[in-house]
Coordinates of all heavy atoms in Angstrom, one line a residue:
P1 N 54.5 52.6 32.0 CA 55.1 51.4 32.5 C 56.0 50.8 31.5 O 55.5 50.2 30.5 CB 53.9 50.5 32.8 CG 52.7 51.4 32.8 CD 53.0 52.5 31.8
V2 N 57.3 50.9 31.6 CA 58.2 50.5 30.6 C 58.2 49.0 30.4 O 58.3 48.5 29.2 CB 59.6 51.0 30.9 CG1 60.7 50.2 30.2 CG2 59.8 52.5 30.5
W3 N 58.1 48.2 31.5 CA 58.0 46.8 31.3 C 56.9 46.3 30.4 O 57.1 45.4 29.6 CB 57.8 46.1 32.7 CG 56.5 46.3 33.3 CD1 56.1 47.3 34.1 CD2 55.3 45.5 33.0 NE1 54.7 47.1 34.4 CE2 54.2 46.1 33.8 CE3 55.0 44.4 32.3 CZ2 52.9 45.6 33.8 CZ3 53.8 43.8 32.3 CH2 52.7 44.4 33.0
K4 N 55.8 47.0 30.4 CA 54.6 46.7 29.6 C 54.9 47.0 28.1 O 54.6 46.2 27.2 CB 53.4 47.4 30.1 CG 52.1 47.0 29.4 CD 50.9 47.6 30.2 CE 49.6 47.1 29.6 NZ 49.4 47.4 28.2
K5 N 55.6 48.1 27.9 CA 55.9 48.5 26.5 C 56.9 47.6 25.9 O 56.8 47.2 24.7 CB 56.4 50.0 26.5 CG 55.4 51.0 26.9 CD 54.2 51.0 26.0 CE 54.5 51.4 24.6 NZ 53.3 51.5 23.7
I6 N 57.9 47.2 26.7 CA 58.9 46.3 26.2 C 58.3 44.9 25.8 O 58.6 44.3 24.8 CB 60.1 46.1 27.2 CG1 60.9 47.4 27.2 CG2 61.0 45.0 26.8 CD1 62.1 47.4 28.2
D7 N 57.4 44.5 26.7 CA 56.7 43.2 26.4 C 55.9 43.3 25.1 O 55.9 42.4 24.3 CB 55.7 42.9 27.5 CG 55.1 41.5 27.4 OD1 55.8 40.5 27.3 OD2 53.8 41.4 27.3
E8 N 55.3 44.5 24.8 CA 54.6 44.7 23.6 C 55.5 44.6 22.4 O 55.2 44.0 21.3 CB 53.8 46.0 23.6 CG 52.6 46.1 24.5 CD 52.1 47.5 24.7 OE1 52.5 48.4 23.8 OE2 51.2 47.7 25.6
F9 N 56.7 45.3 22.5 CA 57.7 45.3 21.5 C 58.2 43.9 21.2 O 58.5 43.5 20.0 CB 58.8 46.3 21.8 CG 58.4 47.7 21.9 CD1 58.8 48.5 22.9 CD2 57.5 48.2 20.9 CE1 58.5 49.8 23.0 CE2 57.1 49.6 21.0 CZ 57.6 50.4 22.0
K10 N 58.4 43.1 22.2 CA 58.9 41.7 22.1 C 57.9 40.9 21.3 O 58.2 40.1 20.4 CB 59.2 41.1 23.4 CG 60.4 41.6 24.1 CD 60.5 41.1 25.5 CE 60.6 39.6 25.7 NZ 60.7 39.2 27.1
K11 N 56.6 41.1 21.6 CA 55.5 40.3 20.9 C 55.5 40.7 19.4 O 55.2 39.9 18.5 CB 54.2 40.6 21.5 CG 54.0 39.9 22.9 CD 52.7 40.3 23.5 CE 52.5 39.6 24.9 NZ 51.3 40.0 25.6
K12 N 55.8 41.9 19.1 CA 55.8 42.4 17.7 C 57.2 42.1 17.0 O 57.4 42.6 15.9 CB 55.6 43.9 17.7 CG 54.2 44.3 18.2 CD 54.0 45.8 18.2 CE 52.6 46.2 18.7 NZ 52.5 47.7 18.8
K13 N 58.1 41.4 17.7 CA 59.4 41.0 17.1 C 60.3 42.2 16.8 O 61.0 42.2 15.9 CB 59.2 40.1 15.9 CG 58.3 38.9 16.1 CD 58.9 38.0 17.1 CE 58.0 36.7 17.2 NZ 58.5 35.8 18.3
K14 N 60.1 43.3 17.6 CA 61.0 44.4 17.4 C 62.4 44.1 17.9 O 62.6 43.4 18.8 CB 60.4 45.6 18.2 CG 59.0 46.1 17.8 CD 59.0 46.7 16.4 CE 57.6 47.2 16.1 NZ 57.6 47.8 14.7
K15 N 63.4 44.7 17.2 CA 64.7 44.6 17.6 C 65.0 45.6 18.7 O 64.9 46.8 18.5 CB 65.7 44.8 16.4 CG 65.6 43.8 15.3 CD 66.5 44.1 14.2 CE 66.4 43.1 13.1 NZ 67.3 43.5 11.9
I16 N 65.5 45.1 19.9 CA 65.7 45.9 21.0 C 67.2 46.0 21.4 O 67.9 45.0 21.4 CB 64.9 45.4 22.3 CG1 63.4 45.3 21.9 CG2 65.1 46.3 23.5 CD1 62.6 44.6 23.1
L17 N 67.6 47.2 21.5 CA 69.0 47.5 21.9 C 69.1 48.1 23.3 O 68.5 49.1 23.5 CB 69.7 48.4 20.9 CG 71.1 48.9 21.1 CD1 72.1 47.7 21.0 CD2 71.5 50.0 20.1
F18 N 69.8 47.4 24.2 CA 69.9 47.9 25.6 C 71.3 48.6 25.7 O 72.3 48.0 25.5 CB 69.8 46.7 26.6 CG 68.5 46.0 26.5 CD1 68.3 44.9 25.7 CD2 67.4 46.4 27.4 CE1 67.0 44.2 25.7 CE2 66.2 45.8 27.3 CZ 66.0 44.7 26.5
E19 N 71.2 49.8 26.1 CA 72.4 50.7 26.1 C 72.9 50.9 27.6 O 72.2 51.6 28.4 CB 72.1 52.0 25.5 CG 73.2 53.0 25.5 CD 72.8 54.3 24.9 OE1 71.7 54.5 24.5 OE2 73.7 55.2 24.8
G20 N 74.1 50.3 27.9 CA 74.6 50.5 29.2 C 75.4 51.8 29.3 O 75.9 52.4 28.3
A21 N 75.6 52.3 30.5 CA 76.4 53.5 30.8 C 77.6 53.1 31.6 O 77.7 52.0 32.3 CB 75.6 54.6 31.5
Q22 N 78.7 53.9 31.7 CA 79.9 53.6 32.3 C 80.6 52.3 31.8 O 80.4 52.0 30.6 CB 79.8 53.5 33.9 CG 79.5 54.9 34.5 CD 78.0 55.1 34.7 OE1 77.1 54.3 34.9 NE2 77.6 56.3 34.6
G23 N 81.3 51.6 32.6 CA 81.9 50.4 32.2 C 81.8 49.3 33.3 O 81.5 49.6 34.4
I24 N 82.1 48.0 32.9 CA 82.0 46.9 33.8 C 82.9 47.1 35.0 O 82.6 46.7 36.1 CB 82.2 45.6 33.1 CG1 81.2 45.4 32.0 CG2 82.2 44.4 34.1 CD1 81.6 44.3 31.0
L25 N 84.1 47.7 34.8 CA 85.0 47.9 35.9 C 84.6 48.9 36.9 O 85.2 49.1 37.9 CB 86.4 48.2 35.4 CG 87.1 47.1 34.6 CD1 88.3 47.6 33.9 CD2 87.5 46.0 35.6
L26 N 83.4 49.6 36.6 CA 82.8 50.5 37.6 C 81.6 49.9 38.2 O 80.9 50.6 39.0 CB 82.5 51.8 36.9 CG 83.7 52.7 36.4 CD1 83.2 53.9 35.6 CD2 84.5 53.1 37.5

């Protein structure tokens, strides 16, 4: 469950990088 893992990382003050694909014009 990714939402749970991200919540754990947030509590641990981990730096999270969200990587998008394609571009906004798509």
Side-chain angles (χ1 to χ4, degrees):
V2 159
W3 69 267
K4 190 172 186 297
K5 294 301 297 185
I6 291 179
D7 187 57
E8 291 173 10
F9 295 137
K10 286 169 64 179
K11 289 176 180 176
K12 294 177 181 178
K13 306 298 183 183
K14 299 291 186 182
K15 294 180 182 177
I16 304 174
L17 177 65
F18 297 91
E19 178 185 359
Q22 291 95 31
I24 298 167
L25 291 169
L26 293 175

